[in-house]
Amino acid sequence: MRSIFSPITLGSLDLSNRVVMSPMTRDRAGSGDAPGPIMIEYYRQRAGAGLIVTEGTQPCPEGKGYWRTPGIHSDAQIDGWRKVADAVHAEGGRIVMQLMHVGRVVVPENRGFEAEIVAPSALPCPDRVPGPDGVPVECAMPRALDAEELPGVAAQFAQAARNAREAGIDGVELHCSSGYLINQFLNANSNRRDDAYGGDALRRARFPTMVVEALAAAIGADRVGVRISPGNAYNGMTDPDPAATFAPFLDAIDPLHCAYLHVVDMKLETLDTLSFVRGHFSGPVIANNMLTLDTGCELLESGRAEAISFGRPFIANPDFVERLRTNAPLAKPDYARLYTGEERGYIDYPALTD
């Protein structure tokens, strides 16, 4: 049996195999940004993954920037996620929730409610973001958070983690990449603060570290994962020295003994990302980005990662792990329906046995 199909424990998470379903925005949340029947079925179908990481889920109203993304801050949302967790667990799977506060990456029309747009500094996201009709538009101008507000924002993340656990979700993953709030604090392009939370990389890492500490205190570090993608320029995160940016953050959270670090390897010419991570984080690593069964197994067998995550293959192959195990052909996603179509392009992809 190849190593990718062997069980592993990440913190308190016992996984039946080392294939992780990566978080993917799908824009299918129902009324009040709560998971509805099709989201429940979507995750149930994919419970063969050793671990599912949910789509980015806003910990508070201010954390929403995209159309129909789910939240975890209302009773209805908690109830919807409870049904998701129950469905995944009934199939023998494990599921953690990615907590994603978008910060400045906001199209107000996507929200459906009024809420502030906040960020480390009053600098708009330079990238356009799709509005409700799918047409990319400019993001709104954010308000810079005051230093006195930051513990309260960290507390919102902590409450979201407690809500996820109340719903039966097995843990949380903090989204620290792709140009969202945590990444905005880490990156000098988006963090122009002159207080204790801005300036050099050590100070820029203080608020992200505060959030990880709050999550660990709320539900236990052994149920907290962290996702990073050093060198990913998405949403204005161009960085000439990603190692210098992320090293203080990883050094700060390493003593907490989090469940795992989820690493999107951007294949940078100037940085061996997985080797860099090993030098600053002593816990389990989940490797991600355009991997195959063979390249994933090479990472596992060489000790460069403990688990491997896949995104797009899970879209059209709900039984992706079994297809890997049996060397079965993979179906291709309907890319025109990634974010639209309700059931179509979402829960209508058949398994091999259907």
Side-chain angles (χ1 to χ4, degrees), residues 230 264-274 288-291 295 299:
V264 183
D265 185 354
M266 301 303 296
K267 306 296 191 296
L268 303 173
E269 294 182 1
T270 57
L271 180 68
D272 181 336
T273 301
L274 292 177
N288 172 270
N289 206 5
M290 306 302 289
L291 296 171
T295 58
L299 291 177

Side-chain angles (χ1 to χ4, degrees), residues 263 265 271-279 285-288 299 304-305:
V263 182
D265 185 354
L271 180 68
D272 181 336
T273 301
L274 292 177
S275 294
F276 159 71
V277 163
R278 286 295 196 200
V285 169
I286 301 173
N288 172 270
L299 291 177
R304 286 166 63 80

Side-chain angles (χ1 to χ4, degrees), residues 165-189:
R165 290 291 292 140
E166 180 184 340
I169 300 289
D170 297 302
V172 299
E173 175 180 290
L174 181 63
H175 200 342
C176 303
S177 61
S178 302
Y180 301 122
L181 183 67
I182 304 300
N183 199 182
Q184 290 162 27
F185 269 89
L186 291 169
N187 193 289
N189 281 341

Side-chain angles (χ1 to χ4, degrees), residues 247-271:
F249 175 55
L250 296 179
D251 290 342
I253 66 172
D254 187 52
L256 297 175
H257 303 295
C258 292
Y260 65 82
L261 186 70
H262 196 171
V263 182
V264 183
D265 185 354
M266 301 303 296
K267 306 296 191 296
L268 303 173
E269 294 182 1
T270 57
L271 180 68

